[in-house]
Structures are given as structure tokens and as C-alpha cells.
Amino acid sequence: MIDTLGWVFIVGGVLFNVLGCLGMVRFPDVYNRMQSTTKSVTLGACGILFGIFLINGFTALGIKALVCVLFVLINLPVASHALSRGSLIFGIKLWKKTIKDEFTQDRGGTSIIGGEDE
Amino acid sequence: MKTARAVAYWVGAMAIWMLLTWTMNPATLVAGAVMSLIAALWFGRELPVQPVKLLNPVRWFWLLVYVPVFAWACLKANVDVAMRVLSPGLVLRPGIIKIRTSLKSDIARTFLANSITLTPGTMTVEIKDDVLYIHWIDVRTDDPEVAGRMIKGPFEKLLARIFE
């Protein structure tokens, strides 16, 4: 019973990971791709690790998986924040249909809206 | 003050060590205690939380409330991304907007930024003092006040109860 539940979590995590990769292919610019990958991979990796914990129970392996869930939850958003901030400051273009960009306005730089679909 | 921070750091590092090894072998425990002590002496003053606040049970209760709210938001965010990925056309109106936060401490702002990144359609791009720049995949309003309420949701109040 608990094994089945663990496998459900693992399969769900893999499915969310696949959806995140699809988003990375489909979305038009760096920032939208970053959104899709961050959210999907966070839930995907946490789902897989939680499934491992359910299957193994309170053994060394299961507890390691639980601690890794915590590390992933804290670190992945920070990584995506750092990458997107670096892209903005470096001047990687936003998609041409972007509504507004208050970050570049406040820094007094020239507008970086106008990236083509890749 | 610095001593209290170092002691709290030592306890936390030792707890993580025991979770990762998951054994009561005395040799392992002594090795962990020595390594945690070295780490605490080296980085103890960097601990971002005041140790007094860690002993308050009310804060831990609000942390327990925060976890399911956060998990639900994360699940909604993933369903949202899945809908956008699987829909035939590109349903995107992206933009970068700024909102203000009332939180004061660095650790509370960090957790707010992380929570915003993992909720539907928003990603924190930059924090300067009390201003957060958010990349929003579907800009629905121009009013900064309304946008702030929509993006921050319940998180700001909960985090103020946990960390402030």
C-alpha cells in the first residue's frame, strides 16, 4: 500500500519534470523559460524524493531524501533569481510582446524589450 | 549575543548531521560534534535569525500553518504552468513590475521572495531594500497596490508572524 503511494509520487514527479522541459522548449524568452523550469523542477524533484522516503521509511536513505527536499526548496528559487537577475543586468532581451519593464526604467537604461521568438 | 548565535548554529548543524547519518554510533556522534563546533566557530555569527526567537513556540506553530499553504500554492503553480505549456497558442502577457513589502528582516524577505517564485506565474528578479521586482507571466493589473495584494497573497502576514 505505502509502496504504491510512493510510486505514485515518483511518477507524478517525473511527469511534472517532463512538463517543465516542454515549457523550456515552447516559451519565447529566457525569463518565461526560467519560470516554467523553476516551478516544475522544484515540485518534480521534491515529489521523487518524497516517494523515495515513503518506500524506504525511516532508514538512512529515507531521512536523507527528506533533508534533500528541504535543501531543494530553499536553493532552487535562489538559483533562478540569480540567473534571471544576471540576464536582466547583462541586457538579454525580453520577448517583443512584453507589457512593461519597470526594472530597466528604474535603472535608467535603454529598453531591452524586443527579442524575437527563437 | 554572538555566543548565543554560535550555540544555536552548533545545535542546528549537529541536528542536520544526526539526520544525515541516522545512527547512534558514538564515534560518528563525536566526529559530528567536533565538525559542527568548527563550523559554528567559523560561521556562527552569520546566523540570520535571533536565537531568542527560535525558542518561541508560537512562531513554530505559524511555521506549521505556513507549510501546507505553501505546498498548495506550489501545486497550483505547477498546474498553471502545465495549462500554459499544453494550450495550443501562447497565452502570455509577461512584464516586470515592482511591489513593496512591509517586512524588515533579511531572512523574512528572503523567504517572501522564495515563496513568490514558487507561486503561480510570478518570479522575483531583484530585491532592493523594501522594493521587489517581479517578472509576472500574465500581467492582470496596472495598480501597484492591487498587484502587491494579488502577488503576495497570504504569505506576508504569515512570515511577519514567524520572523518579525
Side-chain angles (χ1 to χ4, degrees):
Chain A
M1 179 60 214
I2 200 91
D3 273 19
T4 319
L5 197 64
W7 278 108
V8 166
F9 268 96
I10 289 177
V11 170
V14 172
L15 278 178
F16 275 121
N17 273 332
V18 169
L19 284 171
C21 296
L22 270 178
M24 198 162 139
V25 174
R26 280 204 63 190
F27 286 169
D29 68 357
V30 173
Y31 310 96
N32 292 313
R33 284 174 185 158
M34 201 83 70
Q35 295 232 24
S36 134
T37 48
T38 306
K39 296 183 207 331
S40 306
V41 169
T42 305
L43 194 72
C46 289
I48 293 171
L49 288 166
F50 195 71
I52 289 171
F53 164 72
L54 283 181
I55 290 173
N56 286 289
F58 287 92
T59 58
L61 181 63
I63 296 291
K64 273 193 186 72
L66 264 192
V67 176
C68 285
V69 166
L70 195 68
F71 289 160
V72 163
L73 274 181
I74 291 174
N75 280 320
L76 262 171
V78 176
S80 89
H81 158 84
L83 284 167
S84 52
R85 178 172 177 266
S87 307
L88 265 181
I89 291 174
F90 191 72
I92 308 281
K93 284 199 183 308
L94 289 146
W95 190 37
K96 60 178 181 288
K97 287 183 189 169
T98 302
I99 309 271
K100 57 179 165 184
D101 175 11
E102 294 189 353
F103 179 80
T104 313
Q105 276 174 20
D106 289 356
R107 286 177 81 238
T110 52
S111 170
I112 53 169
I113 297 175
E116 292 297 317
D117 296 10
E118 288 157 17
Chain B
M1 197 66 212
K2 274 185 183 171
T3 318
R5 271 175 204 248
V7 169
Y9 193 100
W10 189 19
V11 172
M14 190 65 206
I16 289 179
W17 172 277
M18 285 168 78
L19 282 175
L20 283 176
T21 52
W22 202 246
T23 166
M24 290 310 269
N25 184 351
T28 317
L29 290 181
V30 169
V34 171
M35 296 305 291
S36 307
L37 184 62
I38 292 171
L41 290 174
W42 206 335
F43 301 110
R45 75 184 95 103
E46 307 280 341
L47 190 77
V49 194
Q50 289 171 11
V52 183
K53 291 184 176 176
L54 289 170
L55 301 174
N56 186 343
V58 179
R59 294 179 191 277
W60 289 98
F61 168 75
W62 284 114
L63 187 68
L64 283 181
V65 174
Y66 169 79
V67 168
V69 172
F70 174 79
W72 176 241
C74 193
L75 196 65
K76 271 202 310 194
N78 276 279
V79 173
D80 180 72
V81 165
M83 298 288 284
R84 283 181 208 283
V85 168
L86 297 175
S87 67
L90 275 177
V91 281
L92 305 175
R93 294 179 73 243
I96 294 177
I97 62 166
K98 64 178 174 186
I99 61 172
R100 291 187 179 278
T101 175
S102 59
L103 297 172
K104 295 285 181 290
S105 60
D106 274 354
I107 181 134
R109 283 176 185 167
T110 307
F111 269 81
L112 180 69
N114 278 4
S115 309
I116 286 173
T117 301
L118 291 175
T119 48
T122 50
M123 178 174 71
T124 313
V125 175
E126 167 73 301
I127 308 179
K128 278 182 189 163
D129 298 332
D130 66 335
V131 178
L132 276 77
Y133 291 93
I134 311 279
H135 181 275
W136 200 0
I137 210 166
D138 184 10
V139 177
R140 271 172 272 161
T141 171
D142 279 341
D143 183 9
E145 286 292 319
V146 181
R149 270 206 306 277
M150 285 170 82
I151 289 172
K152 286 184 294 197
F155 290 120
E156 199 176 38
K157 288 189 188 107
L158 280 172
L159 287 168
R161 286 196 170 119
I162 295 170
F163 289 113
E164 300 281 303

